[in-house]
């Protein structure tokens, strides 16, 4: 009864004609292969996102952290430029990092889920999601939606830390297949 005066909206077509995003699921032990693939994409003029569930390491939660991940990816991709974006940065710092990424001054951007909504960088064609088993399906879907916005073939690599339980396997498989 609260919403009785509203009309029903029907979405009868896809919102955009984006490219298909190829989604792969890989264990953490295959991270160097993901880094090699990202480097290849960058050498072709593309950019990539690397997403972590946490900003900094936690004694309570066993999950990857963006600050530490930034240092690791900077080494893996050296001498390429890798930016860092997370929720503890001031709004001005966040905007500066995103401007630099959009302008191509960063080849890759290590981030937390602050990029989940409202980020449009058509040149970004690869998304690596670390500790993907820690995210829900809708969050993974939103993150994957940050790539595939340009004309280039795009990919999403869901990296998990073994052991991966039955529920985690099913969730990552569902995203890979859809």
């Amino acid at each position: 009864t609260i919403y009785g005066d509203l009309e029903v909206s029907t979405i009868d077509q896809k919102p955009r004609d984006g490219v298909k995003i190829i989604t792969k699921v890989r264990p953490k032990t295959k991270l160097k292969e993901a880094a090699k693939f990202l480097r290849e994409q960058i050498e072709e003029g593309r950019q990539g996102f690397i997403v972590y569930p946490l900003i900094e390491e936690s004694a309570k939660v066993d999950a990857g952290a963006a600050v530490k991940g930034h240092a690791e990816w900077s080494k893996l991709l050296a001498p390429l430029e890798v930016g860092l974006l997370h929720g503890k940065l001031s709004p001005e710092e966040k905007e500066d990092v995103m401007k630099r990424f959009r302008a191509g001054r960063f080849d890759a951007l290590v981030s937390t889920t602050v990029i989940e909504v409202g980020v449009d960088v058509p040149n970004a064609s690869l998304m690596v999601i670390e500790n993907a088993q820690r995210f829900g399906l809708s969050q993974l879907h939103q993150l994957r939606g940050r790539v595939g916005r340009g004309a280039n073939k795009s990919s999403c690599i869901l990296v998990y830390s073994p052991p991966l339980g039955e529920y985690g396997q099913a969730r990552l498989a569902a995203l890979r297949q859809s």
Side-chain angles (χ1 to χ4, degrees):
T1 59
I2 293 172
Y3 301 106
D5 62 327
L6 299 177
E7 293 185 27
V8 174
S9 297
T10 303
I11 300 173
D12 58 2
Q13 61 186 1
K14 289 184 177 184
R16 61 181 168 85
D17 290 330
V19 296
K20 182 179 182 202
I21 301 168
I22 299 164
T23 304
K24 303 283 185 183
V25 178
R26 298 288 184 261
K28 180 92 171 158
T29 56
K30 304 273 185 178
L31 193 60
K32 287 189 178 178
E33 290 175 20
K36 181 180 180 226
F37 184 63
L38 178 54
R39 182 181 290 279
E40 290 168 0
Q41 293 293 303
I42 292 168
E43 287 170 357
E44 291 179 16
R46 315 284 186 282
Q47 293 169 284
F49 292 102
I50 303 131
V51 180
Y52 284 86
L54 301 175
I55 297 172
E56 296 173 342
E57 289 184 303
S58 168
K60 296 178 184 178
V61 180
D62 183 24
V67 172
K68 183 178 179 189
H70 177 257
E72 292 171 359
W73 281 94
S74 292
K75 288 177 188 172
L76 283 170
L77 296 175
L80 301 172
E81 290 295 322
V82 180
L84 176 62
L85 181 67
H86 55 72
K88 286 187 177 178
L89 297 176
S90 71
E92 295 80 21
E93 290 171 313
K94 288 181 204 172
E95 185 58 33
D96 179 58
V97 169
M98 282 311 302
K99 279 183 185 175
R100 293 166 68 193
F101 186 58
R102 273 189 214 100
R105 295 198 5 228
F106 291 130
D107 300 299
L109 182 64
V110 173
S111 178
T112 58
T113 57
V114 296
I115 63 158
E116 185 177 0
V117 176
V119 172
D120 186 13
V121 182
N123 194 44
S125 63
L126 179 63
M127 168 76 63
V128 177
I129 303 175
E130 292 255 12
N131 294 109
Q133 76 278 5
R134 309 254 339 146
F135 298 98
L137 273 177
S138 62
Q139 200 167 35
L140 289 169
H141 180 72
Q142 284 283 44
L143 289 167
R144 181 175 64 180
R146 299 308 98 207
V147 296
R149 293 172 165 264
N152 299 311
K153 178 179 152 186
S154 295
S155 303
C156 179
I157 302 173
L158 305 172
V159 179
Y160 66 91
S161 296
L164 185 60
E166 184 178 329
Y167 180 67
Q169 287 177 0
R171 193 169 61 243
L172 297 182
L175 191 72
R176 182 181 50 78
Q177 295 166 1
S178 64

